[in-house]
Amino acid sequence: MTAQESLKSLESCNSKDSNDSTTPYSSTKHLNSTTASHCSKLGESKGDALTKQPTNEFDDGQSDREDGWFGWSVTAAGCIMGMLTLGVTRAHGVYQEHYVLNEFASTPSATIAWIGSVQNMMLNLCGVVVGVLSQMYDSRILCAVSAFSMGVAFILASFSTEIWQLVLTQGVLYGGAASFPYILGVTVPLHWIKKRRGLALAVVYMGSGVGGMWVSLLTTACIDRFGRAWSHRILGLIMIAVGVGLAPLVISRRPAKRPTRLLDLSVFRDWRFLLIAGGSFFAMGPNTVPYMLMPTYVAQVLKEGTKLGSLVVTIINVSGIFGRFAAGVLSDKLGPMNMLIVWVALAAYSQLGIWLPFENVRAVVASAALFGVTGASIVGMILNALATVYGVTRITYISGLIYMTYSVASLVVVQTSSLMLDTVGHGKVYTWPIVYSGLLLVVAALIFLALRIRMSPRILDKL
């Protein structure tokens, strides 16, 4: 075929694409298969590989292992990695409470909040680094080295006596190292599970709920019996033993089409990615606020003991286990985008409709339970939506870009909420931080709704 003929063929393909929205679906089924194949080949140069979902995603000859016991064993490893990473950050409220009420009682809570804020920021900010390095090195090696570094970070934190030292150890070092087993642990299982990806993600993210639960209880018990320093050392040793031991199971697959560029930002030209990133920013920013503020709210406003504050964090994590399972099953049946909108809206209601208007223990427990069911599941549902749109060959890299938005959002929202508490609330009135986090979730729900309508205005479509 000459260059002129190719150009005419490509123009014909473009003309057909522009008429797709007005051509009845029934007529498209009768397109000549040869012409369709030819147009597909010509169109490959028109878009970037990141914005297309390939039909044959891997060429490693291991398709027989998909959806089998091997894939679910990788998923189980990712679940436990979630306990040691996201689960630990979800239990940080116990440390926040100890720092505010005991160790650094005379220090503004906004200053203390930098420890948890930086920890969450680094956990997500390094997502791009994880995405790039995962294309160069074995995921098992990355997980083993980072798990060892996580444990070292907590052991170093046990010797820290100043806030800036804790920011560096418990915040920067731990958060940056935890990013690797966290992101690889939630994305690599998608290489092996195709039919029930929503359920697989639910299992993986259940790890953060279960981890947040037992880490909260263990941290509280260790602080009460041995002191804060030994609680850090015990958790650090657990991270090294379990994380390094499970790293060999985090096995990624070789994509059929290798990336031509390790750092590819062309996806930012895709309106779907921009809307997902925008919605993720507003949804995940306030995601850590209940974990951080509810324990101190219980102690300072409701005048309850510190054990109830730890119990509230446990309630969020326990209810998150059931919420993630429900979100995974419903996403597989009704579509991840549809359920994402519902879950974000309910998370907003847990803040604005329950926690805000009722100042009592029952309301806080109910708000914590509903937020655990919905808010804790949002990140997994976003990842499922990304896999649906872009496929899974480079899901670690693309999700790393999304996690980067989380890092900025978590830092800004947590610090702003703490600043509101210290200034407008004088350290004891939590009204504006609750309103602030709730409204951000409302904005996120509206953005995801706009994306859903843009993708398909038919509400019964499984998206």
Side-chain angles (χ1 to χ4, degrees):
M1 180 182 290
T2 64
Q4 185 175 5
E5 290 173 336
S6 298
L7 181 59
K8 289 182 179 180
S9 298
L10 183 56
E11 290 174 351
S12 174
C13 294
N14 289 337
S15 176
K16 178 181 68 65
D17 290 342
S18 65
N19 293 327
D20 278 348
S21 59
T22 58
T23 302
Y25 174 74
S26 59
S27 65
T28 62
K29 294 189 295 184
H30 302 293
L31 286 174
N32 182 275
S33 60
T34 303
T35 303
S37 175
H38 175 58
C39 290
S40 175
K41 291 179 180 179
L42 287 173
E44 288 179 357
S45 60
K46 294 164 57 181
D48 187 82
L50 282 178
T51 62
K52 297 179 180 180
Q53 192 179 100
T55 54
N56 297 317
E57 297 179 286
F58 300 102
D59 66 351
D60 53 5
Q62 301 192 66
S63 58
D64 57 321
R65 286 185 164 186
E66 292 175 356
D67 298 303
W69 67 268
F70 184 82
W72 287 105
S73 66
V74 177
T75 303
C79 174
I80 298 176
M81 289 298 187
M83 295 183 190
L84 302 178
T85 54
L86 193 59
V88 171
T89 63
R90 291 292 181 257
H92 182 75
V94 177
Y95 280 114
Q96 176 79 4
E97 180 185 26
H98 171 77
Y99 294 146
V100 171
L101 301 181
N102 297 291
E103 195 166 345
F104 304 108
S106 60
T107 305
S109 58
T111 302
I112 299 174
W114 277 104
I115 302 171
S117 298
V118 171
Q119 185 182 88
N120 276 284
M121 181 191 70
M122 293 300 297
L123 181 71
N124 297 298
L125 182 63
C126 293
V128 177
V129 179
V130 177
V132 172
L133 292 182
S134 66
Q135 301 173 85
M136 302 169 59
Y137 302 105
D138 193 319
S139 57
R140 293 167 292 185
I141 296 176
L142 293 176
C143 279
V145 173
S146 57
F148 181 81
S149 301
M150 287 160 47
V152 171
F154 257 58
I155 292 173
L156 290 175
S158 69
F159 297 101
S160 302
T161 57
E162 302 289 339
I163 291 179
W164 68 268
Q165 296 171 342
L166 289 167
V167 169
L168 290 178
T169 54
Q170 194 173 356
V172 176
L173 183 56
Y174 168 79
S179 183
F180 285 82
Y182 166 46
I183 296 178
L184 291 171
V186 300
T187 56
V188 170
L190 297 180
H191 293 185
W192 302 98
I193 305 296
K194 296 185 69 174
K195 295 179 180 178
R196 303 302 297 271
R197 281 177 178 165
L199 181 60
L201 282 169
V203 171
V204 170
Y205 276 103
M206 279 182 194
S208 64
V210 174
M213 178 180 63
W214 68 259
V215 172
S216 296
L217 296 175
L218 177 63
T219 302
T220 302
C222 288
I223 290 176
D224 291 342
R225 177 168 294 188
F226 306 115
R228 193 266 301 172
W230 270 105
S231 73
H232 273 127
R233 291 165 194 157
I234 292 171
L235 281 175
L237 292 173
I238 292 174
M239 291 174 191
I240 293 174
V242 178
V244 175
L246 285 176
L249 285 176
V250 186
I251 306 171
S252 60
R253 299 179 67 183
R254 183 177 66 253
K257 186 176 182 180
R258 301 298 179 84
T260 57
R261 289 175 290 179
L262 293 178
L263 186 61
D264 191 342
L265 301 180
S266 61
V267 71
F268 284 97
R269 296 195 296 267
D270 185 1
W271 60 267
R272 296 170 301 176
F273 177 84
L274 294 177
L275 285 176
I276 292 175
S280 300
F281 180 90
F282 289 103
M284 295 308 299
N287 197 261
T288 57
V289 171
Y291 294 94
M292 300 285 288
L293 297 186
M294 275 190 174
T296 55
Y297 175 87
V298 168
Q300 293 180 331
V301 177
L302 303 183
K303 306 300 181 182
E304 299 289 341
T306 57
K307 290 186 177 180
L308 181 59
S310 176
L311 180 62
V312 168
V313 176
T314 302
I315 290 172
I316 297 176
N317 289 305
V318 172
S319 59
I321 298 172
F322 300 100
R324 290 179 178 94
F325 179 79
V329 172
L330 292 173
S331 294
D332 286 334
K333 290 186 176 181
L334 303 177
M337 187 59 64
N338 294 331
M339 293 312 303
L340 177 60
I341 297 169
V342 175
W343 248 234
V344 174
L346 288 175
Y349 178 75
S350 72
Q351 307 293 292
L352 301 177
I354 302 179
W355 188 10
L356 177 64
F358 304 106
E359 193 174 295
N360 55 64
V361 173
R362 291 182 179 179
V364 171
V365 170
S367 175
L370 180 57
F371 182 81
V373 169
T374 56
S377 308
I378 291 174
V379 61
M381 301 176 80
I382 292 173
L383 188 59
N384 195 4
L386 284 171
T388 301
V389 174
Y390 296 108
V392 298
T393 53
R394 300 192 70 190
I395 189 64
T396 303
Y397 175 73
I398 296 176
S399 62
L401 297 175
I402 294 293
Y403 285 125
M404 186 172 62
T405 68
Y406 298 171
S407 66
V408 179
S410 62
L411 179 65
V412 171
V413 174
V414 171
Q415 286 302 124
T416 303
S417 299
S418 299
L419 187 61
M420 286 180 176
L421 179 61
D422 287 338
T423 56
V424 182
H426 304 289
K428 295 183 178 180
V429 180
Y430 287 69
T431 300
W432 285 109
I434 298 173
V435 171
Y436 174 61
S437 63
L439 289 179
L440 289 178
L441 288 167
V442 172
V443 174
L446 293 176
I447 293 176
F448 288 132
L449 179 61
L451 171 63
R452 170 63 179 78
I453 295 174
R454 178 73 186 275
M455 293 176 69
S456 174
R458 296 185 293 272
I459 60 174
L460 296 180
D461 284 354
K462 181 180 176 181
L463 288 176

